[in-house]
Amino acid sequence: MSTKPSEVLNSMDAFWNDDLATADPEIAAAISKELARQQDKIELIASENIASKAVLEATGSVFTNKYAEGYPGKRYYGGCDYADVVETLAIERAKELFGCNFANVQPNSGSQMNQAVFLALLQPGDTFMGLDLNSGGHLTHGSPVNMSGKWFNPVSYGVREGDELIDMDAVAATAREHKPKLIICGGTAYSRTWDFSAFRAIADEVGAILLCDMSHISGLVAGGAHPSPFPHCDIVTSTTHKSLRGPRSGIILWNDEKFTKPLNMAVFPGLQGGPLMHVVAAKAVAFREALTPEFKSYAHRIVENARALAASLEENGLRIVSGGTDNHSMLVDLTAKNVTGKDAEKGLDRAWLTCNKNGIPFDTRSPFITSGIRLGTPAGTTRGFGPAEFRTVGKLIAEVVDGLSKNGAEGDAQIEESVRGRVAELCAAFPVYPNA
Ligand code: DSN
């Protein structure tokens, strides 16, 4: 007996019409609690941000249904007309935003964008240089537990013990000694301005390709609040969800056509299959937002706020690694307070201030314990905090840390309760997704 169209429609009614709360109450509840967490706590993780409603909408769009292996105009599947529209817009906007000639907007993540550069340009065993993880580098820049460190030969550079700044003379000496094929600048916990032209000179001297992983600072670069890695760097990679405030993803940018085929081939078919077209669409939305004058002001305000936060922390007795910040982030050294990064992260979370424990340069504690925390201002700046609010946040952090310093890991419950109250006031005054 054949099924009548009306019966199909009835059996599919829930499929087409049920919202998440009806279809899957457990997941809906977790999402709703995550929204409340983002609304009610102050987000200080330097690599996180709060994306716009439009970015969220594109990320949750019907493009999740679409396979579009290949590139605009050259796909392996039919029905890619609109996939081509969004990917072309994403590419053109990325090029305009960062002032470069070529862009690949398909990498699914930061790790995959960097893997694609390795696949395109290096052979297993080749030598490359990157900032040491202990000095603020990234796993994919040569950590022994990452593919970059397992399949290639990483030679790292670090910061100086005295001033905790990257020692460009040491970078040059290491490059001369090891003749790397690739040099990576950029990191995840380095709060000072990158001297891209100095890296260019070193790369030229030893014949290396220069890659900048600007993931942390790309929003600042887009808004003119940090110098651009172009034209100094050959290739620039970036995640799109940090200071750039887009969806969770990655991009690769370059100027010289000679890199176009190897990089595009490395992303697809080298590493990835079908691109996440819903995320590519959301990247295009984020790039459009980042091209506005409002985003420029946002980027500058991130830096102004970071300086205010660092100054407040110092005034309240906490040491900032390298003595301050030029970007969106800072590392707080808790050694003198005899508080570990792990205990500080937990204590601050109890007080509704979210951050991550982070090793400081020359840390003697393990990465699971650490002697520091990393703080950043992109998310707080998105919710509307200015220097006055960040000065208050600095004071609140210092109060919680002092409680931990006095009482050990359990901290001071009274202080933490009082801080929670003041965090709640700040969050209420600067709401996140107010109509959600
Ligand atoms: N995990 C990111 C960060 O927090 O910096 C880098 O990938």
Side-chain angles (χ1 to χ4, degrees):
M1 208 174 81
S2 66
T3 314
K4 292 188 193 132
S6 62
E7 284 168 356
V8 174
L9 203 62
N10 285 342
S11 69
M12 292 296 284
D13 189 57
F15 183 88
W16 298 124
N17 297 312
D18 279 2
D19 60 15
L20 186 60
T22 311
D24 192 334
E26 288 167 288
I27 292 295
I31 291 175
S32 156
K33 284 181 184 159
E34 173 59 16
L35 171 64
R37 188 193 69 78
Q38 293 184 20
Q39 289 171 322
D40 299 342
K41 296 185 173 184
I42 297 177
E43 186 54 71
L44 294 163
I45 294 177
S47 49
E48 294 190 11
N49 211 330
I50 303 161
S52 69
K53 185 172 189 290
V55 165
L56 296 187
E57 194 175 325
T59 311
S61 72
V62 290
F63 270 115
T64 197
N65 296 333
K66 188 68 198 112
Y67 256 118
E69 283 178 20
Y71 289 100
K74 278 182 271 166
R75 304 284 189 185
Y76 289 82
Y77 290 80
C80 285
D81 309 49
Y82 308 109
D84 282 3
V85 170
V86 297
E87 187 166 348
T88 304
L89 280 169
I91 290 169
E92 291 308 315
R93 290 174 185 175
K95 283 165 32 183
E96 185 183 347
L97 188 59
F98 293 107
C100 60
N101 295 334
F102 301 99
N104 186 309
V105 296
Q106 291 192 7
N108 295 335
S109 72
S111 299
Q112 279 166 309
M113 77 201 180
N114 286 339
Q115 279 166 15
V117 177
F118 279 64
L119 181 62
L121 305 175
L122 303 184
Q123 293 299 317
D126 276 351
T127 299
F128 73 98
M129 268 173 73
L131 180 63
D132 185 23
L133 195 59
N134 299 322
S135 288
H138 187 249
L139 280 172
T140 59
H141 300 178
S143 161
V145 295
N146 183 263
M147 193 197 72
S148 59
K150 282 179 188 284
W151 291 4
F152 300 89
N153 178 35
V155 181
S156 62
Y157 58 90
V159 295
R160 267 190 298 256
E161 204 151 359
D163 57 10
E164 296 163 318
L165 300 179
I166 291 171
D167 180 348
M168 293 309 297
D169 292 335
V171 175
T174 309
R176 281 182 205 119
E177 183 185 347
H178 295 280
K179 299 272 183 298
K181 208 161 160 185
L182 176 79
I183 297 176
I184 309 176
C185 50
T188 65
Y190 187 67
S191 64
R192 295 306 191 170
T193 304
W194 286 86
D195 187 348
F196 297 125
S197 66
F199 273 95
R200 175 77 265 163
I202 294 166
D204 283 345
E205 188 188 327
V206 302
I209 295 166
L210 183 58
L211 164 67
C212 173
D213 178 348
M214 64 167 179
S215 293
H216 263 260
I217 56 168
S218 56
L220 308 187
V221 171
H226 186 288
S228 172
F230 288 120
H232 309 290
C233 299
D234 298 297
I235 299 165
V236 177
T237 54
S238 180
T239 50
T240 50
H241 49 276
K242 297 186 172 87
S243 54
L244 192 52
R245 210 164 58 176
R248 186 160 294 280
S249 200
I251 48 171
I252 307 175
L253 310 165
W254 65 98
N255 269 333
D256 190 329
E257 180 139 33
K258 75 178 181 203
F259 295 121
T260 299
K261 193 166 176 204
L263 286 171
N264 283 342
M265 291 285 290
V267 175
F268 171 83
L271 284 170
Q272 297 184 178
L276 308 179
M277 288 314 299
H278 52 306
V279 183
V280 172
K283 280 184 255 196
V285 174
F287 300 153
R288 187 175 200 260
E289 290 174 359
L291 281 161
T292 60
E294 290 76 19
F295 192 89
K296 208 175 169 61
S297 316
Y298 166 68
H300 286 275
R301 197 140 163 101
I302 289 175
V303 177
E304 193 190 349
N305 284 341
R307 292 211 169 106
L309 176 59
S312 165
L313 291 162
E314 278 183 327
E315 281 157 24
N316 287 284
L318 292 168
R319 189 183 88 82
I320 307 298
V321 168
S322 86
T325 179
D326 300 325
N327 61 25
H328 64 301
S329 70
M330 67 213 68
L331 275 177
V332 185
D333 176 4
L334 303 169
T335 312
K337 298 278 175 185
N338 202 22
V339 172
T340 66
K342 182 180 171 197
D343 289 344
E345 179 189 302
K346 287 199 169 136
L348 289 165
D349 193 46
R350 288 193 297 270
W352 296 355
L353 293 157
T354 311
C355 71
N356 64 285
K357 62 181 170 292
N358 212 101
I360 56 169
F362 312 101
D363 208 325
T364 51
R365 293 188 169 106
S366 87
F368 298 105
I369 310 290
T370 81
S371 302
I373 49 172
R374 186 186 63 167
L375 303 173
T377 54
T381 305
T382 294
R383 78 184 301 159
F385 285 4
E389 287 73 32
F390 271 106
R391 270 193 290 275
T392 303
V393 170
K395 192 168 164 298
L396 299 181
I397 291 169
E399 284 181 31
V400 173
V401 169
D402 283 341
L404 292 160
S405 186
K406 213 167 26 136
N407 293 350
E410 72 271 24
D412 183 318
Q414 246 180 328
I415 290 179
E416 289 170 13
E417 191 186 339
S418 148
V419 170
R420 273 199 300 277
R422 282 171 285 162
V423 167
E425 280 167 23
L426 277 171
C427 289
F430 296 91
V432 165
Y433 302 121
N435 305 315

